[in-house]
Amino acid sequence: MDDSVRSAYAVDQAPILDFHLPLAVVWAETVEDVQHVVRSCAAHGVPIVARGAGTGVSGGAHATEGSLVLSLERMNRILELNPDDETAVVEPGVINAELNAAAAEHGLMYAPDPASFKTSTIGGNVATNAGGLRCAKYGVTRDSILALDVVLADGSLIHTGHKTFKGVAGYDLTALFVGSEGTLGIVVGVTVRLKYLPPEVHTVAAFYPDFRGAAAGVLAVGRARVQPAIMEMLDGGTLAQLDLLHGSDLSSRGSALLLVQTDGFGAAAEADVVRAVLAAGGAVVTKEASAEAERLVELRRHSRGAEVDDEYRVGEDVAVPRSRLVDYVAGLESIATARSVSLKVVAHAGDGNLHPTFWVERIDAMVDDDALSRLNSALDDSVTLALEMGGTITGEHGVGQYKLRWLGLEQPEPVRELQRRIKDLFDPAGLLNPGKAI
């Protein structure tokens, strides 16, 4: 196999800590293909890294030493879509946007809405329990998964869950597999619950002189007891970058943007309440036209920018209780100043999930050890601060390989040991995505 192909499938979009070329890349097209690969690898002691579209940013799909990468991207069929039951059964390689397009023909939608929805796969979303923009109202991937078909480490196939919305028979193995990052089994079929496609959507843009003011606006909307579908914050650095990349004029309108979208039959009434609350808090609130509203949401989806995370630029994925948003944003700004690093922040503010990006300028081809030390210290500080506020080291991207260094700060050893025992039960030889998640 060509080295360029193996190299392309060796990593996802996360920083690379330990690069390895896979022994081979295999593209499965059927469940039987997956079973054959798993059994063959088990017989020869070869680790398997299952992979979807490779859009992950925590290194969950990075190849490990001596591993085989199993791509599921060709298993991309929607097997069943039942409008009356409001469910769909899909293969893991189905693109999120394609499922949504199929559901929309019946007035339905698949609610989980990662920013990468145009390219990320349902199987990858399941592996990381992906979140996204609509999480504020509709929850994360786990909240829309009813059942799974999973190939276990010995090549056997099991079915977990049910097609009904309710069901409490036995342990919830479906929920266990969701977010397990391919370490317990390889998902080959997904039964999802669909939601009603909103008949009406309203977007409110509120510009603030600073990011802390936008964070305070999030709490004000919550106190008004309005439930937006989307509530996103973008800081001044992010607005300036979007202007540069897309020719918009966002940064001329404020130094921070709170983007709120309401949906459903009460969308207009809820949007009116949001506008009043945010204006009362000092925001410059605009009533966006439909085209502008769509553009703002689309720009938010591209707010990570064109850069790829590496040792000089790292985007984080922490979450804190919403009541601590203002405090955490202030803490991030203090950390960036104290460590002399640059900072920009976007956030799924509706559920307290922030994506701060820290970076240092690359001076030349040589590694600047002092700059890298300051950058890593800022990352450590930001994670520690989130945990001190009752938060978590990852809201939606997963632990993968990159965030293992912080897992022990959040989970005490008895909990981690219990997880290792679960891993040993499902994968006694340790061949499924080793060195990830736990």
Side-chain angles (χ1 to χ4, degrees):
M1 177 174 288
D2 191 285
D3 280 358
S4 64
V5 175
R6 291 194 294 152
S7 181
Y9 281 80
V11 294
D12 56 26
Q13 295 182 10
I16 301 169
L17 301 178
D18 186 24
F19 181 82
H20 293 283
L21 274 179
L23 296 177
V25 180
V26 177
W27 289 267
E29 297 184 2
T30 66
V31 173
E32 291 74 20
D33 287 347
V34 175
Q35 291 181 282
H36 175 71
V37 170
V38 171
R39 287 170 180 149
S40 297
C41 287
H44 294 89
V46 176
I48 303 173
V49 178
R51 174 189 173 94
T55 59
V57 291
S58 291
H62 282 357
T64 51
E65 186 174 5
S67 66
L68 178 146
V69 168
L70 177 61
S71 173
L72 304 172
E73 62 190 305
R74 295 181 184 175
M75 296 180 66
N76 57 7
R77 295 180 301 159
I78 298 174
L79 301 175
E80 175 187 321
L81 202 159
N82 190 317
D84 291 330
D85 287 340
E86 298 159 22
T87 61
V89 181
V90 304
E91 292 183 324
V94 170
I95 301 296
N96 186 300
E98 293 175 358
L99 174 57
N100 258 305
E105 295 180 9
H106 305 280
L108 299 167
M109 68 176 182
Y110 177 61
D113 184 36
S116 60
F117 80 107
K118 291 183 180 180
T119 54
S120 65
T121 63
I122 300 298
N125 294 171
V126 170
T128 60
N129 192 25
L133 275 65
R134 289 196 293 243
C135 286
K137 183 173 184 178
Y138 296 103
V140 294
T141 298
R142 181 177 285 116
D143 299 307
S144 290
I145 304 301
L146 296 175
L148 296 172
D149 298 304
V150 184
V151 173
L152 299 179
D154 62 358
S156 60
L157 177 68
I158 65 168
H159 179 81
T160 72
H162 33 74
K163 286 190 176 181
T164 56
F165 295 165
K166 289 183 177 180
V168 293
Y171 294 137
D172 191 351
L173 295 180
T174 303
L176 178 62
F177 280 113
V178 177
S180 64
E181 302 187 45
T183 62
L184 301 180
I186 298 175
V187 172
V188 292
V190 187
T191 302
V192 304
R193 177 177 183 175
L194 302 173
K195 301 287 187 178
Y196 301 138
L197 193 64
E200 195 173 349
V201 173
H202 285 255
T203 300
V204 178
F207 288 89
Y208 290 83
D210 58 59
F211 200 53
R212 299 184 204 183
V218 173
L219 298 181
V221 171
R223 293 187 186 113
R225 299 304 181 242
V226 174
Q227 180 58 76
I230 291 175
M231 187 150 51
E232 302 289 309
M233 293 195 303
L234 297 83
D235 74 349
T238 303
L239 297 182
Q241 183 183 58
L242 289 173
D243 288 344
L244 181 64
L245 293 173
H246 303 285
S248 53
D249 65 346
L250 299 176
S251 56
S252 69
R253 300 159 74 178
S255 296
L257 168 64
L258 180 58
L259 183 61
V260 182
Q261 191 173 90
T262 59
D263 69 1
F265 287 104
E270 289 182 322
D272 286 342
V273 173
V274 169
R275 291 188 188 95
V277 167
L278 298 184
V284 176
V285 182
T286 60
K287 184 174 182 179
E288 305 297 338
S290 179
E292 176 67 7
E294 290 298 322
R295 179 166 171 76
L296 284 172
V297 173
E298 192 63 23
L299 287 176
R300 163 61 187 93
R301 294 185 188 282
H302 293 91
S303 57
R304 277 181 62 83
E307 313 101 318
V308 175
D309 289 355
D310 57 20
E311 67 268 31
Y312 291 92
R313 174 195 182 276
V314 181
E316 260 311 310
D317 168 45
V318 296
V320 297
R322 284 204 321 177
S323 61
R324 303 304 304 272
L325 270 175
V326 176
D327 299 331
Y328 189 69
V329 168
L332 287 175
E333 293 171 344
S334 297
I335 289 168
T337 299
R339 298 297 185 183
S340 299
V341 299
S342 298
L343 168 72
K344 67 182 182 113
V345 186
V346 296
H348 304 305
D351 53 17
N353 185 192
L354 300 99
H355 297 311
T357 297
F358 293 100
W359 76 94
V360 292
E361 296 300 330
R362 188 189 297 261
I363 298 174
D364 51 38
M366 301 298 291
V367 174
D368 184 336
D369 290 336
D370 177 65
L372 292 181
S373 176
R374 288 186 281 108
L375 176 60
N376 281 300
S377 294
L379 290 170
D380 290 339
D381 293 345
S382 69
V383 170
T384 300
L385 180 62
L387 293 174
E388 289 174 352
M389 292 184 176
T392 177
I393 66 172
T394 175
E396 61 184 5
H397 292 167
V399 173
Q401 184 185 75
Y402 189 76
K403 300 176 80 73
L404 279 173
R405 54 177 157 165
W406 296 310
L407 185 58
L409 299 177
E410 178 171 339
Q411 296 186 334
E413 185 52 37
V415 172
R416 296 191 70 186
E417 173 58 23
L418 182 59
Q419 291 175 101
R420 286 190 287 266
R421 288 164 61 188
I422 293 172
K423 165 72 169 172
D424 289 342
L425 176 64
F426 281 90
D427 180 24
L431 298 180
L432 297 180
N433 211 11
K436 316 287 178 58
I438 63 167

